[in-house]
Amino acid sequence: MEAMRPTVLLFDIDGTLVTTGGAGRRSMEAAFEKLHGRRDACDSFAMSGMTDRAIVRQAMRIIGVEDTTEAIDAVIHAYVTHLAEEVHKVDDARYRVFPGMREAVKEARSLPGFAVGLGTGNVREGARVKLERVRIYDQFDFGGFGCDNEDRTELIRCGARAGAARLGAPLEECRVVVIGDTPKDVHAARGIGAECIGVGTGTFAAQALLDAGATVAFQDFSHPEALTALLGKR
């Protein structure tokens, strides 16, 4: 099997590749409690699809803390430190890779003309911690991360450029596919002219992702047509 044209795949993490059993939220709460005495800083808004830095910025504004670059960096550092401990407290039944994802990543990596990376709002170190817990981090050779840009569309663009560079092809000649579980993933993909495969494994059903503009959407990647859509085969 060969790709119809050079293809960059960008996988989201939370709600798409894995569920962490709430480890990320608890780690963010612990970071705010440690630095600002407010474990409730993120309680009033939904974090799904947001970048780590955007989450911290919004939470700081809610609790009345000036959102300087240095202050955000401090919370992110504390968050990652807590995360490295928290992920090991969650049992395997609650911290797992979603159905079909390991197989899809493995298949894409085995084919010529594919670059398999991440497109995630997690900062790079947070992504590493989360995915090493389920032994899948080393399957992704590059990515667009929340530390590359606070705006999701721009970090996806960063990932697409990195993938095209690995393929040795101009980005405009590549097929780019974003795999995600929120309308924010869909909008980011559309923002750079990429395809989006939605998965209903997060907080949004597959139909909601189609309604948001996803190219296709499945309840999860065990669906028999999901791999076909990913690989772009006729």
Side-chain angles (χ1 to χ4, degrees), residues 19-43:
T19 175
T20 66
R25 173 174 281 277
R26 289 191 297 276
S27 298
M28 189 66 76
E29 291 170 345
F32 269 98
E33 183 175 40
K34 177 181 179 180
L35 295 178
H36 301 291
R38 292 289 299 271
R39 195 174 183 87
D40 63 341
C42 301
D43 285 359

Side-chain angles (χ1 to χ4, degrees), residues 162-199:
R166 292 190 70 87
L167 293 169
L171 178 56
E172 57 270 20
E173 294 181 9
C174 293
R175 172 180 176 247
V176 179
V177 186
V178 173
I179 305 92
D181 69 298
T182 74
K184 288 184 173 66
D185 296 296
V186 178
H187 298 156
R190 290 171 63 91
I192 68 162
E195 297 175 33
C196 183
I197 299 178
V199 285

Side-chain angles (χ1 to χ4, degrees), residues 145-161:
F145 299 90
C147 47
D148 293 324
N149 202 294
E150 196 168 319
D151 179 83
R152 194 169 195 100
T153 300
E154 293 309 312
L155 74 84
I156 288 297
R157 196 186 310 277
C158 287
R161 287 173 176 159

